């Protein structure tokens, strides 16, 4: 035995439990608390606090993090302007600079209980493969504390940004794990479709999953989501494709949206919502809209919905911490989940649903799963989000990576 977490409150079982992690770092048993003694084994007493599987951030732009720490000027506060702001920043990237910023964000994420990240990395004719080289180096240096999947992401489009197609193949050869996409960046709807076709072609060549930014626009005419879901079924890629943002779905009429959501369900499609885009999607006349997808309806229809940080203090977004309890709470507000029942959906989104996006094996609190656990300084899920509670212990495969004596019960 490597470690025992006793007196844990878990969502998967009634009462308090002891979680025993074996020498291989896997969960050996999850039994009622108080039945056994564990002489000679490291024991952490969770004291009835909430214990969750490790948090998973399935969409984080690790190459861009902290590039706006010295400030972010923006005249119109639109998505298009944000993309322009990033051009200037990424033209000046060096591998070392990207690597160091990425490592900082990974360490911060671990502190917040995240030991699995899917990182989007720009591939285009502005930064070339410098962002990828930097994030690959960061991944290698942090491999003991965080499992990272890298998405080769054509932020500027493929046909709109000459040379990107070749660079995407090079990125996959260099070790990217997932192929990304940004069909809405193309000038014409027919080119958006060709973009999706090419992404599937690359995915099949390398046998990798797909994670595209899809329809990140309030334009109801952007319809790459339905096409991508249909394509997933045609190509036998059910369960392997994720759409980030999927904003236009919220701006399309109900009859069309119902049809698309049914197609998403049939395609076993993942939708990843990034609540921080509330600040990015551009300024509306009053009454302002939120710029996020149909979260509640997708959940009700049984589509796998995850949520993620997306951006931390970069050309897109001045804020962001990397803390899932932080952006999860933001999504609870945006989706108007305001009960002890519905806040559980958000906890699912930062754990199991995100693990499904990354297709993680052996995830969860059950015998045989990896001993990747967070002991949260809160008694309930609602309290964890309300307080954005610190993580007392971050445990990866039975080893304590981070601990905090930060308390929530201040004496005043
Ligand atoms: Zn993104």
């Amino acid at each position: 035995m490597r470690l025992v977490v006793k007196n844990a409150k878990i969502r998967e079982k009634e009462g308090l439990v002891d979680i025993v992690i074996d020498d291989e770092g896997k969960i050996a048993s999850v039994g009622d608390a108080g039945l056994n003694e564990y002489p000679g084994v490291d024991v952490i007493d969770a004291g009835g606090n909430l214990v969750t599987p490790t948090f998973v951030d399935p969409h984080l732009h690790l190459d861009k993090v902290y590039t706006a720490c010295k400030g972010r000027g923006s005249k119109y506060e639109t998505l298009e302007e944000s993309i322009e702001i990033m051009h200037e920043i990424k033209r000046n990237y060096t591998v070392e600079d990207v690597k160091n910023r990425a490592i900082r964000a990974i360490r911060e994420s671990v502190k917040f209980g995240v030991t699995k990240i899917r990182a989007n990395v720009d591939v285009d004719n502005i930064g070339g493969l410098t962002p990828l080289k930097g994030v690959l180096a960061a991944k290698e240096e942090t491999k003991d504390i965080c499992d990272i999947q890298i998405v080769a992401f054509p932020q500027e489009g493929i046909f709109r940004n000459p040379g990107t197609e070749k660079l995407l193949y090079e990125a996959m050869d260099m070790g990217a794990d997932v192929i990304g996409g940004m069909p809405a960046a193309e000038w014409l709807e027919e080119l958006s479709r060709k973009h999706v076709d090419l992404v599937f072609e690359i995915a099949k060549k390398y046998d990798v999953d797909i994670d595209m930014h899809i329809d990140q626009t309030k334009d109801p005419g952007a319809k790459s989501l339905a096409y991508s879901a249909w394509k997933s079924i045609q190509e036998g890629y059910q369960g392997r494709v994720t759409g980030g943002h999927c904003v236009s779905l919220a701006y399309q009429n109900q009859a069309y949206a119902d049809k698309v959501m049914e197609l998403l369900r049939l395609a076993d499609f993942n939708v990843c919502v990034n609540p921080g885009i509330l600040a990015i999607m551009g300024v509306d006349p009053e009454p302002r809209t939120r710029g996020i997808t149909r979260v509640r309806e997708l959940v009700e229809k049984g589509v796998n919905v995850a949520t993620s940080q997306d951006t931390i203090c970069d050309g897109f977004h001045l804020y962001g911490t990397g803390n899932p309890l932080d952006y999860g709470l933001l999504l609870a507000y945006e989706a108007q989940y305001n009960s002890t029942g519905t806040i559980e959906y958000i906890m699912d989104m930062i754990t199991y649903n995100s693990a499904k996006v990354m297709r993680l094996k052996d995830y969860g609190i059950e015998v045989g799963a990896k001993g990747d656990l967070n002991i949260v300084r809160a008694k309930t899920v609602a309290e964890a989000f309300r307080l954005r509670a610190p993580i007392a212990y971050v445990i990866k495969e039975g080893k304590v990576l981070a601990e905090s004596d930060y308390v929530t019960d201040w004496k005043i």
Side-chain angles (χ1 to χ4, degrees), residues 58-65 86 90 93 98-99 101-102 106 117-124 127-139 148-156 164 167-168 171-172 174-182 211 213 310:
H59 185 135
L60 180 62
H61 292 265
L62 273 181
D63 52 341
K64 296 171 177 147
V65 289
M86 272 318 298
K90 71 179 164 187
Y93 280 165
V98 174
K99 176 187 156 189
R101 286 185 290 96
I106 294 162
I117 294 173
R118 180 176 273 186
N120 279 272
V121 177
D122 284 15
V123 174
D124 53 56
L129 294 168
T130 301
L132 179 64
K133 287 176 190 162
V135 176
L136 277 169
K139 174 180 174 176
I148 293 176
Q149 293 176 357
I150 295 179
V151 183
F153 171 50
Q155 167 84 71
E156 314 294 335
T164 296
L167 287 170
L168 286 173
M172 300 313 295
M174 281 169 63
D177 306 284
V178 176
I179 181 72
M182 179 80 179
D211 195 329
H213 288 55
D310 195 9

Side-chain angles (χ1 to χ4, degrees), residues 119-314:
N120 279 272
V121 177
D122 284 15
V123 174
D124 53 56
N125 68 19
I126 303 169
L129 294 168
T130 301
L132 179 64
K133 287 176 190 162
V135 176
L136 277 169
K139 174 180 174 176
E140 175 60 25
E141 200 158 316
T142 56
K143 63 175 191 264
D144 293 336
I145 59 169
C146 193
D147 301 321
I148 293 176
Q149 293 176 357
I150 295 179
V151 183
F153 171 50
Q155 167 84 71
E156 314 294 335
I158 299 176
F159 304 110
R160 185 175 170 168
N161 189 266
T164 296
E165 181 175 348
K166 187 166 168 284
L167 287 170
L168 286 173
Y169 281 100
E170 283 177 41
M172 300 313 295
D173 288 334
M174 281 169 63
D177 306 284
V178 176
I179 181 72
M182 179 80 179
E186 306 296 352
W187 289 117
L188 303 173
E189 191 62 21
E190 64 190 80
L191 291 174
S192 297
R193 286 197 173 200
K194 272 182 71 181
H195 180 125
V196 173
D197 289 342
L198 181 63
V199 168
F200 272 88
E201 211 174 293
I202 298 172
K204 285 193 295 178
K205 180 178 179 210
Y206 291 90
D207 190 21
V208 293
D209 294 349
I210 295 171
D211 195 329
M212 293 183 279
H213 288 55
I214 300 184
D215 298 343
Q216 188 182 352
T217 167
K218 292 175 181 172
D219 173 9
K223 294 183 171 172
S224 294
L225 183 58
Y227 184 64
S228 303
W230 178 81
K231 194 79 185 159
S232 304
I233 296 169
Q234 298 306 306
E235 302 289 353
Y237 251 66
Q238 292 100 322
R240 300 186 68 180
V241 185
T242 299
H245 303 294
C246 308
V247 176
S248 67
L249 185 67
Y251 293 82
Q252 290 157 342
N253 71 58
Q254 191 67 44
Y256 178 78
D258 282 340
K259 192 165 116 180
V260 175
M261 288 188 282
E262 178 60 8
L263 189 57
L264 293 172
R265 195 185 61 76
L266 293 172
D268 195 10
F269 210 86
N270 304 302
V271 171
C272 185
V273 188
N274 305 297
I277 65 164
L278 181 64
I280 302 171
M281 289 309 295
V283 182
D284 285 331
E286 302 290 355
R288 291 164 194 271
T289 63
R290 295 165 302 163
I292 63 159
T293 196
R294 297 178 183 243
V295 175
R296 295 179 72 104
E297 287 177 64
L298 286 163
V299 169
E300 278 160 23
K301 287 181 193 303
V303 176
N304 186 51
V305 178
T307 188
S308 56
Q309 177 64 70
D310 195 9
T311 49
I312 299 175
C313 195
D314 65 13

